[in-house]
Amino acid sequence: DVKVTQSSRYLVKRTGEKVFLECVQDMDHENMFWYRQDPGLGLRLIYFSYDVKMKEKGDIPEGYSVSREKKERFSLILESASTNQTSMYLCASSFSRFGEQFFGPGTRLTVL
Amino acid sequence: GENVEQHPSTLSVQEGDSAVIKCTYSDSASNYFPWYKQELGKGPQLIIDIRSNVGEKKDQRIAVTLNKTAKHFSLHITETQPEDSAVYFCAAGGGFAGGTSYGKLTFGQGTILTVHP
């Protein structure tokens, strides 16, 4: 069965902290994505990666960076967390560029 | 870049009724249109998708229609059941290999569907 796991379901951090959100997929997918979900705004793409060590900016990359050292793992990094980064973060993976994306359960991040 | 508008934001129906959710998009290069369903506490899950060479696609109680000229596409759920209650997202993506938008999906704002027994 297809599985995307995210390191935490809930996370509380303080302003200015460095935050790592981890995502692992077990489907040998080439493509991985990070979205944030906010009420009334839907899902917005932060970064995506179509290969190991490759990354592309999404629609809202400011304040975020990513790392993909291994095919199965895609990390989202908040270098200096701010309150406006309080949100639900969703990771996804897909076999093809425009095929089904499989989502993890999400990490609800609160920045105080 | 692509812009996707989704309506309505909330939809309440009685069990057995039909539900329709509509989306418009702006980029004529988009050629892939998936619909995702998100249940409480879970990530979104693909329920149906359509590509630009097809005008309509059906899967049991769910159908999607696409009008490329008008740049809009719709999700139709017939004979709704309480388990259809969820948040539904449309999305649009496309572009060509080597282009900056290739591989990106732009999602709509979401529709909260409630089916009353």
Side-chain angles (χ1 to χ4, degrees):
Chain A
D1 200 14
V2 163
K3 200 161 185 184
V4 178
T5 56
Q6 295 184 229
S7 49
S8 306
R9 291 301 301 268
Y10 300 92
L11 208 53
V12 179
K13 295 292 181 181
R14 297 225 173 257
T15 303
E17 279 192 79
K18 190 168 186 175
V19 181
F20 293 86
L21 302 182
E22 306 284 342
C23 175
V24 178
Q25 51 96 1
D26 65 359
M27 298 160 283
D28 202 34
H29 284 169
E30 301 286 341
N31 307 285
M32 295 189 75
F33 309 83
W34 274 107
Y35 295 90
R36 64 177 280 176
Q37 181 177 6
D38 299 288
L41 297 177
L43 278 67
R44 292 180 292 166
L45 183 65
I46 304 171
Y47 269 97
F48 67 107
S49 167
Y50 52 86
D51 201 353
V52 175
K53 297 192 186 294
M54 303 299 286
K55 61 185 179 184
E56 291 281 346
K57 290 182 180 179
D59 297 316
I60 52 164
E62 297 79 17
Y64 303 94
S65 62
V66 290
S67 172
R68 193 164 180 204
E69 295 295 322
K70 293 186 177 182
K71 191 176 185 180
E72 67 272 17
R73 188 180 298 268
F74 193 34
S75 302
L76 180 69
I77 303 156
L78 288 66
E79 294 288 342
S80 177
S82 63
T83 55
N84 62 12
Q85 291 178 310
T86 291
S87 187
M88 171 68 82
Y89 289 88
L90 290 163
C91 174
S93 72
S94 69
F95 176 72
S96 62
R97 290 289 188 103
F98 287 116
E100 181 173 3
Q101 291 189 16
F102 295 88
F103 283 84
T107 295
R108 183 163 294 283
L109 173 67
T110 301
V111 183
L112 301 175
Chain B
E2 176 65 276
N3 182 49
V4 177
E5 295 289 331
Q6 182 173 345
H7 298 281
S9 56
T10 61
L11 181 58
S12 184
V13 299
Q14 289 296 127
E15 183 176 1
D17 286 351
S18 294
V20 180
I21 302 170
K22 298 182 179 182
C23 289
T24 60
Y25 63 99
S26 61
D27 188 350
S28 56
S30 289
N31 51 23
Y32 175 61
F33 307 92
W35 286 88
Y36 283 81
K37 174 184 180 183
Q38 185 178 28
E39 297 176 341
L40 203 60
K42 297 183 179 180
Q45 187 170 11
L46 180 74
I47 54 172
I48 195 167
D49 58 11
I50 192 168
R51 299 183 190 267
S52 62
N53 58 341
V54 176
E56 183 173 354
K57 184 176 178 181
K58 196 171 182 180
D59 183 4
Q60 298 183 359
R61 297 185 296 108
I62 293 172
V64 58
T65 58
L66 170 64
N67 183 328
K68 282 222 81 181
T69 303
K71 295 198 188 77
H72 67 71
F73 56 113
S74 301
L75 178 72
H76 304 251
I77 306 174
T78 58
E79 300 171 27
T80 54
Q81 301 167 3
E83 51 265 38
D84 294 329
S85 297
V87 182
Y88 291 81
F89 293 99
C90 63
F96 301 94
T100 55
S101 64
Y102 191 63
K104 289 172 58 174
L105 279 181
T106 300
F107 282 80
Q109 295 82 2
T111 296
I112 301 172
L113 173 64
T114 304
V115 181
H116 299 281

